[in-house]
Amino acid sequence: MYIVQIASECAPVIKAGGLGDVVYGLSRELEMQGNCVELILPMYDCMRYDQIWGLHEAYRGLMVPWYGGVIYCDVFCGWVHGRLCFFIQPKSGDNFFHRGYYYGGTDDNMRFAFFSKAALEFLLVSNKRPEIIHCHDWQTGLIPVMLYEMYQYHGMGHQRVCYTIHNFKHQGIAGADILWATGLNREPYYFHYDRLRDNFNPFALNFMKGGIVYSNHVNTVSPHHAWEARYEDVGYGLGHTLEIHQGKFGGILNGVDYNIWNPQVDHHIPFHYSLDNMAGKAKNKIALRERLLLQNVDKPIIAYIGRLDQQKGVHLVHHAMYYALNRGAQFVLLGSATEAGINDWFWHEKQHLNNHPDVHLELGFNEELAHLIYAGADMMVVPSNYEPCGLTQLISLKYGTVPIVRGVGGLLSTVFDKDHDQNHAPEKRNGFVFYQTDNYALESAMERAIGLYKEYPKEFEQLAQQAMEYDYSWNNPGSTYLSVYEHIRA
Ligand code: ADP
């Protein structure tokens, strides 16, 4: 099958979070299962050019209609670890992707509406006619809208769209100007609750809602989150729309790329290890301590890797740090905050704890250090408020780093409590789960984990190995997406 993925990220060249990992990992798996996959991405100035091979100009002077005029784009082509990627570079004073950041502009909705339009124009004029166009998150929500309302009349009538929502929180809210810019025009038509009109702001259009309404198939990234999005507040106002379109909506669990995230082959870690030979894990723990200047004593290392924001349960992350220290554990945090208040808070903590021999806070994004932490830590805490899928716990499982998670979304679908899980036999359990959002709930789970590590080290090791036995590779999700593609193509 010929599949084109259109997204705002693809790891490792463009990665702000899990979306990048998923776009890359899924594309790779689909190719391995015998399909032809291409990706279309924005050409950001700040992406990692060192991760692209053979970058060259593929299409010069692509004319993208915009506000009744045109913006010219050049399209570059190159391979990102074997994946064929097309990068769209607009040449206009708007500098859509020459900002030194991926997201965060006040005109983000315009930037990605333009990207969506340009991606479709590129497919049209380069005569690419994929059977499936797979779009991701709000940034590409307008693609199925424009495909159905405009481009099908220009010879793209056979393309089918699969739309994956990685996070309902960011939906792409815009005013009528987006219609005039993209050429959709017809304000009264689109400002309708059955189409793009936001469910709660009658003066706004909602990209993600457009993606849901116009795509042939819609999914979020775990079965449990698909349920939550419909019935709980984590649908951020789109629950009713999902209810209307329930026949084409579901949840498909993300996978992890085990060519990158695998302690047997990971080239970022000094000592490889596997289920049969765990000696390397203890050596990585020492290497991690040396790297972060922590004392080498008989204590468990509890880690947190992820964004520092409300979604990730930042207050519980903070509490986990002090609780770990009080309970005789070490704590390593790798995270970045976009909110100034949270950023200041954690910088303050970092200074406060600077000389502490049992804790290290690394504030910023550091891919390579992340690998060493997954390999060297004993436990990983993931206390999210909500979590569509979550890659941190999936990677941790593969590295035998026991996850301590809050039972929501994808965390609930993938981590099974050692003591309390009713649905899995004891030898199939792989972590610790708590449910409430208060400190005590977190403490009870951490207490059980630290207690097991200290009092019953053999059992703890057994649990870590059970975690490693789980297969959360792309193999199964890849096949599931393929059957979705087959279904909508038919
Ligand atoms: P998100 O909601 O941010 O997409 P996920 O759990 O789905 O969360 O994916 C997070 C991914 O980003 C994981 O691969 C994790 O290792 C990585 N990551 C998050 N924060 C950092 C950081 N500060 N440095 C390095 N990697 C990070």
Side-chain angles (χ1 to χ4, degrees):
M1 210 182 300
Y2 178 20
I3 302 149
V4 168
Q5 305 268 344
I6 308 180
S8 56
E9 293 181 35
C10 173
V13 65
I14 308 162
K15 172 169 167 174
L19 171 63
D21 289 319
V22 171
V23 170
Y24 178 84
L26 174 61
S27 304
R28 184 177 184 281
E29 179 64 31
L30 292 171
E31 269 192 52
M32 293 211 330
Q33 296 196 20
N35 302 283
C36 170
V37 183
E38 294 174 353
L39 292 95
I40 303 181
L41 304 158
M43 188 145 176
Y44 303 98
D45 56 347
C46 54
M47 64 187 187
R48 294 205 33 197
Y49 284 84
D50 62 323
Q51 300 292 327
I52 311 172
W53 279 259
L55 189 65
H56 63 277
E57 195 176 72
Y59 197 103
R60 182 178 295 179
L62 175 73
M63 293 200 301
V64 181
W66 195 245
Y67 274 122
V70 293
I71 289 180
Y72 286 91
C73 297
D74 290 336
V75 183
F76 288 80
C77 171
W79 283 264
V80 174
H81 294 261
R83 308 285 79 70
L84 184 59
C85 298
F86 293 92
F87 298 95
I88 294 187
Q89 183 181 60
K91 296 196 283 192
S92 90
D94 298 302
N95 276 335
F96 283 135
F97 305 120
H98 263 252
R99 307 272 183 95
Y101 54 74
Y102 300 141
Y103 314 119
T106 48
D107 60 345
D108 274 5
N109 51 23
M110 274 294 169
R111 295 168 71 215
F112 291 104
F114 180 80
F115 168 64
S116 301
K117 175 95 184 164
L120 281 168
E121 277 297 322
F122 175 58
L123 291 177
L124 182 70
V125 301
S126 60
N127 285 326
K128 289 180 181 294
R129 297 291 183 271
E131 285 143 298
I132 299 294
I133 300 177
H134 193 155
C135 301
H136 299 266
D137 265 353
W138 73 266
Q139 292 88 347
T140 53
L142 288 185
I143 287 179
V145 182
M146 290 188 279
L147 183 69
Y148 185 81
E149 297 285 1
M150 304 164 87
Y151 285 83
Q152 70 157 323
Y153 304 110
H154 301 296
M156 292 180 67
H158 296 292
Q159 281 57 54
R160 295 288 173 267
V161 179
C162 175
Y163 182 53
T164 299
I165 298 172
H166 300 258
N167 195 334
F168 281 92
K169 185 165 185 192
H170 309 287
Q171 301 182 357
I173 302 298
D177 47 346
I178 228 76
L179 299 175
W180 302 111
T182 53
L184 285 166
N185 305 329
R186 297 195 289 166
E187 263 187 58
Y189 180 73
Y190 291 108
F191 266 97
H192 191 287
Y193 286 109
D194 289 346
R195 298 190 184 88
L196 300 190
R197 190 175 212 159
D198 188 78
N199 292 343
F200 292 94
N201 180 350
F203 305 107
L205 299 167
N206 185 316
F207 289 20
M208 188 172 274
K209 180 171 174 180
I212 296 170
V213 171
Y214 281 88
S215 295
N216 304 95
H217 179 84
V218 184
N219 73 288
T220 185
V221 287
S222 68
H224 190 65
H225 193 62
W227 182 88
E228 289 173 337
R230 275 175 65 181
Y231 299 115
E232 293 184 356
D233 55 356
V234 293
Y236 284 94
L238 286 175
H240 182 60
T241 307
L242 294 172
E243 192 75 17
I244 293 170
H245 295 277
Q246 57 178 288
K248 60 174 184 180
F249 176 63
I252 302 176
L253 199 66
N254 282 336
V256 170
D257 189 339
Y258 284 164
N259 285 286
I260 298 168
W261 297 106
N262 179 352
Q264 271 180 288
V265 297
D266 190 334
H267 59 267
H268 290 299
I269 61 174
F271 304 100
H272 290 156
Y273 60 96
S274 65
L275 257 177
D276 308 325
N277 183 0
M278 291 290 284
K281 182 145 180 82
K283 293 184 190 163
N284 285 313
K285 184 171 178 179
I286 295 174
L288 177 63
R289 282 180 172 147
E290 278 171 8
R291 163 100 182 247
L292 302 180
L293 303 177
L294 298 178
Q295 62 176 339
N296 193 12
V297 287
D298 182 20
K299 290 183 176 184
I301 298 183
I302 304 178
Y304 173 80
I305 300 177
R307 290 183 284 116
L308 294 167
D309 66 13
Q310 295 305 337
Q311 179 197 331
K312 299 289 176 184
V314 68
H315 284 87
L316 289 179
V317 172
H318 182 262
H319 186 72
M321 180 166 70
Y322 280 100
Y323 188 73
L325 294 179
N326 281 338
R327 293 290 297 115
Q330 295 182 314
F331 197 87
V332 172
L333 179 146
L334 170 61
S336 53
T338 44
E339 252 179 64
I342 297 176
N343 194 38
D344 292 350
W345 180 26
F346 276 84
W347 273 104
H348 176 81
E349 288 293 349
K350 183 177 168 67
Q351 275 152 9
H352 174 60
L353 296 165
N354 203 17
N355 295 320
H356 200 299
D358 285 330
V359 63
H360 182 92
L361 282 76
E362 186 77 24
L363 301 178
F365 197 93
N366 189 333
E367 180 88 15
E368 181 236 336
L369 178 59
H371 285 252
L372 183 59
I373 297 176
Y374 282 117
D378 298 293
M379 305 161 205
M380 180 69 64
V381 58
V382 193
S384 305
N385 270 320
Y386 72 94
E387 193 61 80
C389 175
L391 293 181
T392 320
Q393 87 283 10
L394 297 184
I395 300 172
S396 300
L397 290 169
K398 183 71 181 168
Y399 283 73
T401 303
V402 174
I404 304 170
V405 308
R406 189 162 165 253
V408 286
L411 299 168
L412 193 67
S413 306
T414 53
V415 179
F416 313 114
D417 190 273
K418 175 188 175 296
D419 301 312
H420 303 305
D421 193 281
Q422 301 291 322
N423 303 319
H424 294 79
E427 65 277 10
K428 288 283 174 202
R429 299 177 188 170
N430 59 8
F432 295 91
V433 184
F434 63 97
Y435 291 92
Q436 309 304 326
T437 49
D438 55 280
N439 291 346
Y440 299 117
L442 169 75
E443 285 177 13
S444 76
M446 285 181 71
E447 181 60 41
R448 288 188 290 129
I450 296 171
L452 190 73
Y453 178 95
K454 291 190 169 175
E455 311 294 333
Y456 303 96
K458 283 267 166 286
E459 278 194 34
F460 186 87
E461 207 171 300
Q462 174 65 30
L463 186 64
Q465 293 188 347
Q466 286 173 202
M468 290 174 80
E469 276 165 11
Y470 270 85
D471 177 5
Y472 288 118
S473 68
W474 272 107
N475 204 333
N476 288 333
S479 307
T480 311
Y481 274 109
L482 271 179
S483 47
V484 165
Y485 297 165
E486 291 288 0
H487 175 71
I488 57 179
R489 201 168 61 141

